[in-house]
Amino acid sequence: MGLRLHVDGDRVRGDITFDRRHEGAPGIAHGGAIATVLDDTLGLLLVVLGTPAVTANLSINYKAPVLLRQPLHVIGWCTERRGRKLFFQARLESEGTTIADATALFLAVDTSHFHQGGQQLPPEWADWSPATAPDRQQTTARPHPISFSPRRTEPPRGWWRV
């Protein structure tokens, strides 16, 4: 898909330019491609929080047509955490104007949830605490055990590129 994401403090930022592969109406990105970009951006927040979780609800507001071949910027952040519930927001911008935004509810799960897919999990996930641990009740982001140095412009190799 060409989405490039990086962690910026307690936020996730990235860039995408949709092309013909993402076309819905002529010259306009498909809404599903837009939703994928917003969902993947919010998914990377799980690295910031150090919490394995799944999307329970994703609501998208399409504010303007998302044109193909137009450089776009995406940003995502966590607004609140209540127990297993993680509340996220994201927006897709073109030249500083929001053209789509999203609100999402993610539910923290134990990493054993992902073993159902039959694939090996990224090694970094071994450091994540179970979602049900009492110390996971905070409402602010905490650093992930992986260190993101200022020189690093993107997260460790893995599932962060679409």
Side-chain angles (χ1 to χ4, degrees):
M1 178 166 276
L3 176 62
R4 303 220 18 133
L5 296 169
H6 65 275
V7 175
D8 182 16
D10 63 351
R11 294 181 179 236
V12 171
R13 298 178 186 273
D15 297 293
I16 180 91
T17 300
F18 292 106
D19 59 36
R20 301 283 306 209
R21 297 171 297 163
H22 314 112
E23 190 170 41
I28 298 173
H30 190 282
I34 296 163
T36 298
V37 165
L38 292 166
D39 187 41
D40 279 353
T41 300
L42 296 174
L44 185 54
L45 284 169
L46 303 174
V47 172
V48 174
L49 296 171
T51 302
V54 294
T55 308
N57 182 278
L58 177 66
S59 178
I60 312 286
N61 296 307
Y62 299 94
K63 299 177 178 265
V66 177
L67 304 177
L68 301 181
R69 296 175 299 282
Q70 180 178 358
L72 304 169
H73 183 72
V74 64
I75 182 171
W77 63 96
C78 181
T79 58
E80 182 181 359
R81 179 170 189 154
R82 273 188 270 141
R84 291 183 57 214
K85 295 180 180 180
L86 304 166
F87 298 89
F88 294 159
Q89 291 185 0
R91 67 178 177 259
L92 184 65
E93 301 175 338
S94 173
E95 298 178 0
T97 300
T98 301
I99 54 177
D101 61 35
T103 56
L105 168 65
F106 277 55
L107 295 177
V109 295
D110 190 84
T111 54
S112 63
H113 172 87
F114 299 105
H115 288 100
Q116 297 174 64
Q119 300 293 315
Q120 185 174 357
L121 302 182
E124 296 86 7
W125 288 19
D127 295 334
W128 287 5
S129 300
T132 54
D135 66 337
R136 309 302 270 180
Q137 303 299 315
Q138 75 272 6
T139 57
T140 57
R142 68 171 183 78
H144 183 268
I146 300 171
S147 174
F148 291 96
S149 70
R151 286 176 265 123
R152 187 173 217 150
T153 58
E154 55 190 63
R157 197 168 50 97
W159 49 267
W160 298 283
R161 281 195 186 135
V162 178

